[in-house]
């Protein structure tokens, strides 16, 4: 299996600098996490944007769509901010012949109590076993993109 990873930024890649929560979106961390996990597949990572998902606009989503659509590989992993992950995923629903999985984190990967590594592993598992379609891999579950929502109060994703 070969996995094309497209990074869009989001909490997974955030770097915080002080107690006032000033941050920047850093380089994609997915490669570092996959190396630590000693995965047994090849992958490529391409950074498409370095934005919080609330800052993504229609142009950004069109770029994501165009890159995924043109990608010659069947297995696509998109790291994305959690606030608008489902919006971006819904915009990919017309792409056929691929397993597309979006994932992210509620806490930055660089934080000790982050869910990033767990979610990334879940996303890789989804790429291995789900049929063609668009999915969100978060909170220990794999959801079809049109059947999930973020519950901000609970800090997790759940069925709509």
């Amino acid at each position: 299996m070969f996995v094309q990873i497209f990074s869009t930024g989001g909490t997974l890649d955030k770097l915080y600098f002080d107690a006032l929560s000033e941050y920047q979106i850093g380089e994609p961390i997915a490669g570092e996490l996959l190396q630590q996990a000693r995965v047994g597949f090849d992958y490529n990572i391409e950074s498409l944007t370095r934005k919080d998902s609330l800052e993504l606009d229609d142009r950004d989503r069109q770029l994501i769509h165009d890159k995924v659509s043109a990608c010659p590989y069947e297995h696509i992993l998109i790291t994305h901010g959690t606030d608008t992950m489902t919006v971006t995923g819904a915009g990919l629903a017309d792409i056929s012949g691929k397993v597309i999985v979006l994932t992210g984190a509620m806490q930055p990967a660089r934080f000790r109590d982050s869910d990033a590594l767990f979610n990334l592993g879940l996303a890789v598992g989804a790429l291995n076993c789900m049929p063609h379609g668009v999915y969100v891999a978060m909170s220990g579950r794999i959801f079809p993109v049109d059947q999930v929502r973020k519950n901000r109060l609970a800090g997790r994703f759940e069925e709509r």
Side-chain angles (χ1 to χ4, degrees):
M1 177 174 78
F2 184 91
V3 176
Q4 176 62 54
I5 301 170
F6 291 116
S7 171
T8 66
T11 298
L12 188 100
D13 292 328
K14 282 185 179 176
L15 300 166
Y16 283 85
F17 298 103
D18 60 36
L20 297 175
S21 296
E22 292 293 323
Y23 71 88
Q24 291 179 352
I25 305 292
E27 290 293 321
I29 198 164
E32 183 180 325
L33 296 175
L34 291 172
Q35 282 181 330
Q36 290 173 4
R38 296 177 182 88
V39 298
F41 59 88
D42 293 324
Y43 57 89
N44 180 61
I45 301 172
E46 182 177 349
S47 180
L48 301 181
T49 67
R50 289 172 69 175
K51 295 183 176 183
D52 184 281
S53 71
L54 292 172
E55 297 172 356
L56 293 176
D57 58 27
D58 290 341
R59 254 187 338 206
D60 298 319
R61 287 192 175 82
Q62 187 62 54
L63 170 66
I64 296 164
H65 184 280
D66 292 348
K67 288 288 192 169
V68 171
S69 184
C71 182
Y73 303 109
E74 179 182 7
H75 299 96
I76 309 292
L77 175 60
I78 301 172
T79 60
H80 197 288
T82 59
D83 287 313
T84 66
M85 182 182 291
T86 58
V87 175
T88 299
L92 302 172
D94 66 329
I95 299 173
S96 62
K98 298 180 188 295
V99 181
I100 303 166
V101 180
L102 292 93
T103 196
M106 302 301 265
Q107 295 289 325
R110 292 164 179 89
F111 282 19
R112 181 181 165 129
D113 63 345
S114 177
D115 56 334
L117 184 58
F118 183 81
N119 291 335
L120 188 63
L122 177 65
V124 169
L127 288 171
N128 277 283
C129 66
M130 299 303 289
H132 292 159
V134 183
Y135 304 93
V136 169
M138 292 288 297
S139 305
R141 298 193 51 201
I142 302 163
F143 303 93
V145 73
D146 61 348
Q147 296 175 26
V148 64
R149 70 180 186 94
K150 180 180 177 181
N151 181 332
R152 289 179 196 268
L153 289 176
R156 67 174 176 256
F157 279 70
E158 59 193 21
E159 286 183 89
R160 266 203 293 175

